[in-house]
Amino acid sequence: MNFAEIIEKKKRGGVLEYEELKYAIDGYVSGEVADYQMSALLMAIFINGMEDSEIFAMADVMRHSGDELDLSVINGVCVDKHSTGGMGDTTTLIVAPTVASLGLKFAKMSGRGLGVTGGTIDKLESIRGFKTTLSGDDFIKQINDIGVAVIEQSTNLCPADKKLYALRDVTGTVDSIPLIAASIMSKKLVSGSDYIFLDVKCGNGAFMKDISSALKLAVKMKTIGESAGKNVEFVVSDMNEPLSDYIGNAVEVYGALEVLSGKKCKLYELSRHISAKLLSMAKNIKFGDALKEVDGVIERGEAKAKFFEFIEAQGGIIENENELLCDSVDVMASATGYVKSINCNKLGRIVCDMGGGRLKKGDVIDAKVGLKILKRVGDQVRIGETIAKLFYSKSSQKRFAQDVQNCYSITDKPTEKLKLLIDTRDCRYL
Ligand code: URA
């Protein structure tokens, strides 16, 4: 087989066979295939798409590119969740300790930032000392001991996704349904949980801009999971404004701690939904009862205590929550009226440009920079009122405040607030 022929075939819209995808992906993992060759193939896939047979094959080859974890040695029911990525999407840091304090075992493999969206692994690494790679044995031991562990792909675990993910991040090949489906589901199958909940984002700050594409992606991932014998459910959630009140890395950990301390906001609403869904799937209880259990562990501080146990188990230290924040400058409203829309993607771009994300492969990120969102779509504002805060680590970054202001569009007409959970029952996706 010849890599150039595989690129050529995909470029012309051909359907790749399992063996061709295996040759390409295994070659890339072993180093025989260069970045520039794989970039060309990814772009051909991005442009021409993939048949279901190719997506399934790609997920399977990626899943088998390293070791697979056997969670049968874990005492208890293992659950996992994954989001397709958005701005201020920190649900893992809340769902993980919440479901673990309710007796489930949370076993997750996450990724770094992708495009302008943040990644759980970068957020966790913003915590002093936190280790994002564990051996398979240590991963399993930690889950047995404290009920929760979150790791990144490694040279042993899903190495194909680790390498492809980093390459897609800097080659404009992220927002592709087949590539996202194969990437997410390969990790979910390697990390071995039987119950998986997927949060598929939709909106101007998500890879899927409309509901039908979000639903199409959700159904593809569910089918891959179910054909591997997993229980998979999903929600489509809004990403036309940031989920958390914070966007960045360390600041998002701060935002997650606010929710674990009882703050009621959109991040709480979605984390509560995902936690309760996992609980009702894994324990076969009614969703309403699961919601009450979730609220209980957050109100009693048990989920927050579990968060610190999890951080410490992976070497992380947070002595004082304020150490996660740095200096900030206010961003003012440019007019009086109502927030009509927020350019969520642009907000993510600003955080990236400040150093909070990667512009090229291997860039080291500035974990401290970020934003706090004080006004959301539908909120009333007065000219000069603070609508956001910009966290900076170098005073030259203060200039980005103007760009943040430009992300807000303000109208004099009252505007509806955005619904977080999108009802997809009547949507068409095929
Ligand atoms: N999250 C992933 O893990 N992979 C993608 O491709 C997109 C989001």
Side-chain angles (χ1 to χ4, degrees):
M1 237 176 265
N2 170 330
F3 199 86
E5 279 168 14
I6 296 177
I7 301 175
E8 192 66 32
K9 181 168 177 187
K10 195 69 231 175
K11 186 178 87 180
R12 307 218 172 272
V15 178
L16 298 178
E17 302 294 330
Y18 188 98
E19 285 313 318
E20 289 170 315
L21 284 160
K22 185 165 166 49
Y23 176 83
I25 294 168
D26 287 353
Y28 186 54
V29 172
S30 70
E32 277 155 51
V33 169
D35 277 354
Y36 60 85
Q37 291 173 298
M38 187 47 95
S39 304
L41 180 59
L42 289 171
M43 189 53 82
I45 293 173
F46 180 88
I47 292 168
N48 289 321
M50 277 179 144
E51 297 290 325
D52 281 357
S53 62
E54 296 173 285
I55 306 176
F56 278 57
M58 184 156 182
D60 192 68
V61 172
M62 289 168 72
R63 168 187 183 177
H64 292 107
S65 62
D67 299 337
E68 197 154 330
L69 293 166
D70 174 11
L71 300 189
S72 62
V73 290
I74 286 180
N75 307 315
V77 185
C78 289
V79 299
D80 192 358
K81 56 107 8 206
H82 209 90
S83 147
T84 56
M87 260 40 86
D89 182 13
T90 334
T91 54
T92 295
L93 300 193
I94 298 154
V95 173
T98 299
V99 298
S101 47
L102 285 164
L104 299 181
K105 305 292 185 190
F106 188 86
K108 176 162 163 65
M109 188 182 295
S110 281
R112 293 182 177 276
L114 206 51
V116 293
T117 70
T120 302
I121 291 299
D122 292 323
K123 292 170 202 172
L124 285 168
E125 268 185 358
S126 74
I127 301 170
R128 219 163 4 119
F130 192 93
K131 280 198 305 248
T132 57
T133 46
L134 296 178
S135 68
D137 286 350
D138 288 346
F139 181 66
I140 286 168
K141 180 172 181 327
Q142 185 174 315
I143 296 165
N144 260 334
D145 290 349
I146 65 162
V148 45
V150 180
I151 51 170
E152 74 166 313
Q153 320 93 315
S154 66
T155 39
N156 297 330
L157 298 172
C158 223
D161 186 54
K162 186 176 170 77
K163 282 194 84 172
L164 289 170
Y165 196 93
L167 189 63
R168 286 169 57 215
D169 190 24
V170 292
T171 53
T173 50
V174 172
D175 47 344
S176 141
I177 291 179
L179 295 177
I180 297 176
S183 160
I184 292 183
M185 293 317 292
S186 62
K187 286 192 284 287
K188 297 304 94 181
L189 299 179
V190 167
S191 49
S193 291
D194 285 332
Y195 296 90
I196 300 167
F197 193 80
L198 302 169
D199 172 21
V200 181
K201 304 283 183 198
C202 170
N204 73 51
F207 300 129
M208 298 299 112
K209 307 291 180 208
D210 57 79
I211 302 176
S212 60
S213 331
L215 196 52
K216 191 169 173 183
L217 172 59
V219 170
K220 294 248 178 287
M221 293 195 290
K222 183 171 163 69
T223 315
I224 296 174
E226 286 177 347
S227 63
K230 307 292 180 185
N231 298 284
V232 185
E233 286 192 26
F234 65 82
V235 67
V236 175
S237 66
D238 176 72
M239 187 39 70
N240 285 300
E241 61 183 10
L243 175 62
S244 169
D245 294 338
Y246 297 85
I247 311 176
N249 293 286
V251 294
E252 286 196 39
V253 177
Y254 184 89
L257 283 166
E258 284 188 342
V259 171
L260 289 168
S261 305
K263 181 176 169 182
K264 303 287 188 284
C265 54
K266 285 203 158 178
L267 177 60
Y268 163 74
E269 195 190 328
L270 186 56
S271 305
R272 174 181 189 253
H273 180 89
I274 298 172
S275 303
K277 281 283 178 189
L278 284 172
L279 198 62
S280 71
M281 282 164 81
K283 288 198 177 167
N284 201 14
I285 60 172
K286 288 201 185 110
F287 182 61
D289 294 338
L291 283 173
K292 285 188 200 134
E293 291 202 37
V294 166
D295 288 340
V297 285
I298 295 182
E299 275 158 26
R300 292 190 297 275
E302 290 162 26
K304 187 170 179 186
K306 182 60 79 179
F307 174 87
F308 280 106
E309 201 181 349
F310 151 55
I311 295 302
E312 279 157 30
Q314 288 186 225
I317 306 162
I318 302 176
E319 272 161 15
N320 173 346
E321 291 169 29
N322 286 326
E323 75 191 40
L324 298 164
L325 300 181
C326 57
D327 289 341
S328 68
V329 57
D330 287 356
V331 178
M332 317 293 192
S334 59
T336 294
Y338 297 85
V339 178
K340 184 174 168 216
S341 64
I342 300 176
N343 189 334
C344 207
N345 195 60
K346 186 86 192 297
L347 287 179
R349 168 59 52 214
I350 293 168
V351 174
C352 256
D353 288 346
M354 287 173 74
R358 293 181 185 78
L359 300 177
K360 57 184 186 331
K361 223 175 131 190
D363 274 354
V364 176
I365 63 170
D366 183 342
K368 285 274 170 128
V369 299
L371 296 172
K372 178 170 187 184
I373 303 302
L374 296 167
K375 295 288 177 185
R376 292 178 168 272
V377 174
D379 284 348
Q380 209 166 358
V381 293
R382 271 173 293 103
I383 187 165
E385 186 182 357
T386 305
I387 51 175
K389 280 180 182 291
L390 181 113
F391 295 95
Y392 61 92
S393 59
K394 294 185 208 100
S395 61
S396 59
Q397 293 162 334
K398 285 194 221 170
R399 69 191 152 89
F400 287 101
Q402 177 66 52
D403 298 336
V404 175
Q405 188 188 60
N406 295 341
C407 292
Y408 277 79
S409 151
I410 297 172
T411 166
D412 49 10
K413 295 196 187 60
T415 308
E416 294 224 346
K417 290 189 182 289
L418 296 171
K419 243 178 125 211
L420 177 60
L421 305 180
I422 296 170
D423 188 346
T424 53
R425 273 173 300 188
D426 296 327
C427 298
R428 297 178 67 81
Y429 65 91
L430 290 175

